[in-house]
Amino acid sequence: MKPEKIEQILKESYLGIGDTSQFHLENSLTSNRDEWAINNPVLELTNHMRNPDNFSWTCKHLLNIDLLPFQVVILKELWTRTFPMLVAARGGGKSWILALYALLRALFCQGSKIIIVGAAFRQSKLLFEYIEGFWRAAPILRSIVGSGRHQGPKRDVDRCTFYIGDSVIMAIPMGDGTKIRGLRANYIIADEFASIPQEIYETVVQGFASVSATPVEGVKNRARMKVLKSLGLWAPDDSQDISAGIGNQSILSGTAYYAFNHFADYWKKYKAIIESQGEQKKLEEIFSGEVPDHFDWTKYSIIRIPYHKLPPGFMDDTQVSRAKATIHSSIYQMEYGACFCTDSDGFFRRSLVESCVCRPAIELT
């Protein structure tokens, strides 16, 4: 075997697909170009870059970032689902990939408003710092966006803001929820969801995305749909034209926690919805009654990545082995196995402690 071929095989060995020279590959930038593509090369290039199938190429040339195959799959799933859930091992790169997703979404979907929340402001700022790192290491991106007064990262006392064209990414503190009421967003990223108070998320944060991105267009499209159905002219494919994209999105992410936490409740509900495959009877059992109007089970997704499914070398195996040998098995399964455990192994079990806690808390005045 020639040295050049050996070098190529070694270079691509991390893909785990063997000798790529045996595959028949076509370059979508040069093959099957129609007249529109020939006359609009800039728009054609943009379309290729914003295609989730090409994100590895996009990130390499636009952001100077090399992606692993599993990271490309995560980005595509986040890009195409309205309600994705990411559950991964500690150190599996959840915050990093969410920050990258937020930057790509803001860049390629101009006019987007993305809000990042965490149980503490520190968690939100962690994602924001990743975005700042991408920005500093990407001269091509900075050149495209420009160095205008309102572009790039800005830090304030109560929020961190990143402007990219007409899009904005905001990392905000959670607090008790009273100071962030009234905010609106097209995309919500809730990181370390197990630590976010359930009541604040459901009554405040979830409401950020309750209004459609373009309310007037939303009303017009819904009226058009109603008329088409009344005239018998409605076809399922028409929904793709009327509701292009995924609509307002809510992403839940974090390390697995105990089964009696609200994160596990959401996981069970999402899992049941996905496994129902849209069957009416199963959905009625999940919702304990009538299925909500316009409900679409295909918009839900769970991405679960335990430590042993990560590529070898991604994490420090020595440290993980030490954790497995020294910490309780239930904690290891949550932190590295991405499993929602039913109980702890301590002298005072977690279920006992939880049973002694008043839910909701009684406020003493």
Side-chain angles (χ1 to χ4, degrees):
M1 190 178 293
K2 293 182 179 180
E4 306 86 55
K5 188 170 184 179
I6 295 175
E7 182 64 26
Q8 186 68 20
I9 292 175
L10 291 175
K11 182 179 178 182
E12 298 172 347
S13 60
Y14 74 97
L15 297 174
I17 57 177
D19 185 3
T20 58
S21 64
Q22 303 299 319
F23 296 102
H24 176 67
L25 304 174
E26 290 186 358
N27 188 340
S28 58
L29 285 173
T30 58
S31 62
N32 301 322
R33 299 182 70 205
D34 56 19
E35 185 178 352
W36 177 88
I38 295 172
N39 295 330
N40 300 273
V42 176
L43 293 178
E44 181 198 18
L45 180 63
T46 303
N47 283 341
H48 280 288
M49 281 191 162
R50 69 193 303 240
N51 184 342
D53 291 330
N54 302 329
F55 276 167
S56 178
W57 173 75
T58 300
C59 293
K60 173 68 175 178
H61 294 280
L62 195 62
L63 303 176
N64 288 326
I65 295 173
D66 287 316
L67 293 178
L68 294 169
F70 85 95
Q71 294 173 323
V72 178
V73 173
I74 293 175
L75 283 176
K76 183 175 181 179
E77 198 69 11
L78 295 175
W79 195 267
T80 55
R81 306 286 183 176
T82 306
F83 305 107
M85 176 183 292
L86 177 58
V87 185
R90 182 72 64 189
K94 299 182 298 296
S95 300
W96 187 89
I97 202 72
L98 289 173
L100 179 58
Y101 168 76
L103 183 60
L104 291 172
R105 179 64 77 175
L107 175 63
F108 291 122
C109 298
Q110 283 295 292
S112 297
K113 189 171 184 180
I114 303 167
I115 288 184
I116 301 170
V117 296
F121 196 18
R122 179 192 62 80
Q123 187 62 37
S124 301
K125 286 195 290 187
L126 178 61
L127 268 75
F128 190 82
E129 287 168 0
Y130 280 130
I131 297 174
E132 283 185 312
F134 299 147
W135 172 258
R136 288 193 296 267
I140 295 178
L141 174 64
R142 295 199 304 272
S143 177
I144 292 172
V145 176
S147 56
R149 181 179 178 184
H150 298 293
Q151 298 299 306
K154 316 289 179 185
R155 286 179 176 265
D156 295 312
V157 176
D158 61 341
R159 69 180 61 184
C160 298
T161 313
F162 190 97
Y163 296 95
I164 182 164
D166 294 329
S167 299
V168 59
I169 304 171
M170 285 197 303
I172 61 173
M174 177 76 69
D176 59 1
T178 58
K179 300 295 193 300
I180 57 177
R181 282 184 176 272
L183 289 176
R184 291 292 177 262
N186 310 124
Y187 306 93
I188 301 171
I189 300 176
D191 196 19
E192 294 301 342
F193 185 63
S195 301
I196 295 177
Q198 181 179 4
E199 183 180 0
I200 296 177
Y201 176 80
E202 294 180 346
T203 60
V204 180
V205 178
Q206 207 166 237
F208 292 170
S210 59
V211 179
S212 62
T214 52
V216 176
E217 288 301 316
V219 172
K220 290 180 179 179
N221 288 334
R222 187 59 59 81
R224 176 174 175 267
M225 182 193 303
K226 185 177 180 181
V227 173
L228 285 172
K229 287 183 176 180
S230 67
L231 297 175
L233 301 175
W234 173 256
D237 292 340
D238 292 338
S239 62
Q240 299 299 323
D241 300 327
I242 288 179
S243 56
I246 60 173
N248 290 351
Q249 183 186 50
S250 296
I251 300 174
L252 305 181
S253 174
T255 306
Y257 200 57
Y258 290 105
F260 38 75
N261 181 267
H262 60 276
F263 194 7
D265 293 336
Y266 271 79
W267 176 77
K268 293 173 186 175
K269 180 68 72 70
Y270 276 34
K271 186 172 181 288
I273 289 172
I274 295 168
E275 291 177 341
S276 74
Q277 297 290 296
E279 291 186 25
Q280 187 72 14
K281 184 175 292 187
K282 291 183 178 180
L283 289 175
E284 289 175 352
E285 291 177 0
I286 294 171
F287 289 101
S288 301
E290 188 177 352
V291 180
D293 293 337
H294 312 294
F295 180 82
D296 185 357
W297 71 275
T298 62
K299 294 184 177 182
Y300 291 78
S301 173
I302 297 175
I303 310 164
R304 176 178 167 267
I305 311 175
Y307 158 73
H308 63 274
K309 291 297 183 181
L310 290 168
F314 188 86
M315 295 180 63
D316 190 324
D317 296 330
T318 304
Q319 292 297 326
V320 176
S321 298
R322 176 182 176 275
K324 188 174 184 179
T326 56
I327 65 178
H328 287 300
S329 59
S330 58
I331 297 177
Y332 177 84
Q333 287 299 323
M334 290 187 296
E335 293 289 315
Y336 298 100
C339 296
F340 292 93
C341 293
T342 56
D343 212 344
S344 64
D345 296 331
F347 181 79
F348 293 105
R349 293 183 177 272
R350 183 61 186 255
S351 57
L352 175 62
V353 176
E354 288 291 325
S355 67
C356 299
V357 176
C358 179
R359 306 281 186 191
I362 299 175
E363 295 185 6
L364 302 176
T365 57

